[in-house]
Amino acid sequence: MAHSIFDLFKLGIGPSSSHTVGPMLAANRFAKELVNQDLLQEVDKVRVELFGSLALTGRGHATDNACVLGLMAESPGCLDADKIPGLLALVKDTGELPLSGKRWIDFSSEEDLIFHYDTSLPEHPNAMTIKALNAEGGLVLSRTYFSVGEDDPQQRLSSTLATPNLSDRELLSHCEQTGLTHAELAFANEAALGDKQSENKLLSQN
């Protein structure tokens, strides 16, 4: 079965793919949805509720920091790790958060990040709910996320892969016929996935 190397090796902050990268992706998606639905200007407050495993090990795995960064529209695959302390200090020192990087709202990690240590949602142990509220405390948007990860790799696989599902012997034969190395062949497959996201990631590492 064909996979991108980015389905096996994730780009992102640590220490945990499920407790750090996942919550950051969820918060990022929530912030983007507010923008896409033209709701951002209605938001006065955001609260994040963590359940089950996310609550129990959240602080040790920097789930709280990941949520804050995601709400600021930062993404785990693009964020410069050297900038993280400064971004978190900005929120802590000012008591404000640039929601989706566009709208400044009051935010307190002590009040607006809620850890439900004794409560798990039945669908999955890694669960979180994010709520956006207006100035009157009314609900603008609420979303619950379960074990957020990257998109399903099989949904992103394309029939345009350069060499889909070759056996070892077929792979060697294909390289001999085309003159490509294994690395060049892998790059061609990565470039055929999605909107060249994988190709851009590969180029950025060189």
Side-chain angles (χ1 to χ4, degrees):
M1 184 176 294
H3 288 278
S4 164
I5 61 172
F6 296 104
D7 297 324
L8 305 176
F9 301 99
K10 302 297 185 184
L11 295 179
I13 61 174
S16 170
S17 60
S18 58
H19 290 178
T20 316
V21 173
M24 189 173 175
L25 284 170
N28 178 286
R29 292 177 186 179
F30 185 83
K32 286 182 178 179
E33 186 172 357
L34 288 171
V35 173
N36 293 338
Q37 293 196 30
D38 200 24
L39 297 173
L40 191 62
Q41 296 306 313
E42 299 180 28
V43 181
D44 188 70
K45 201 77 173 171
V46 171
R47 290 204 171 94
V48 180
E49 300 183 53
L50 304 170
F51 299 90
S53 179
L54 283 186
L56 291 169
T57 63
R59 295 195 188 279
H61 285 168
T63 304
D64 47 354
N65 293 338
C67 291
V68 170
L69 294 167
L71 290 173
M72 297 169 73
E74 300 292 345
S75 60
C78 300
L79 177 59
D80 183 345
D82 292 336
K83 295 181 179 180
I84 293 176
L87 292 172
L88 296 175
L90 175 67
V91 176
K92 182 178 180 180
D93 294 343
T94 65
E96 293 184 314
L97 180 148
L99 183 60
S100 199
K102 301 175 183 292
R103 176 172 173 78
W104 288 88
I105 62 171
D106 291 338
F107 189 87
S108 166
S109 294
E110 289 73 24
E111 297 178 4
D112 299 318
L113 288 172
I114 304 167
F115 291 77
H116 294 287
Y117 299 110
D118 298 325
T119 305
S120 293
L121 300 188
E123 292 87 347
H124 198 280
N126 289 341
M128 58 189 288
T129 295
I130 310 178
K131 297 178 181 179
L133 309 172
N134 60 26
E136 292 74 36
L139 187 65
V140 176
L141 183 70
S142 177
R143 291 287 182 265
T144 298
Y145 301 90
F146 302 99
S147 188
V148 176
E150 299 292 343
D151 295 335
D152 182 352
Q154 292 308 307
Q155 293 180 1
R156 297 190 296 105
L157 288 176
S158 168
S159 60
T160 60
L161 283 178
T163 54
N165 300 322
L166 293 183
S167 68
D168 291 344
R169 180 173 297 178
E170 290 169 336
L171 178 62
L172 289 171
S173 175
H174 187 83
C175 288
E176 291 176 358
Q177 292 173 10
T178 62
L180 295 174
T181 66
H182 289 182
E184 290 168 337
L185 204 57
F187 185 90
N189 280 341
E190 293 294 334
L193 292 171
D195 57 356
K196 290 191 178 292
Q197 179 181 9
S198 297
E199 181 180 7
N200 291 335
K201 285 181 180 178
L202 280 169
L203 291 172
S204 70
Q205 304 304 306
N206 296 329

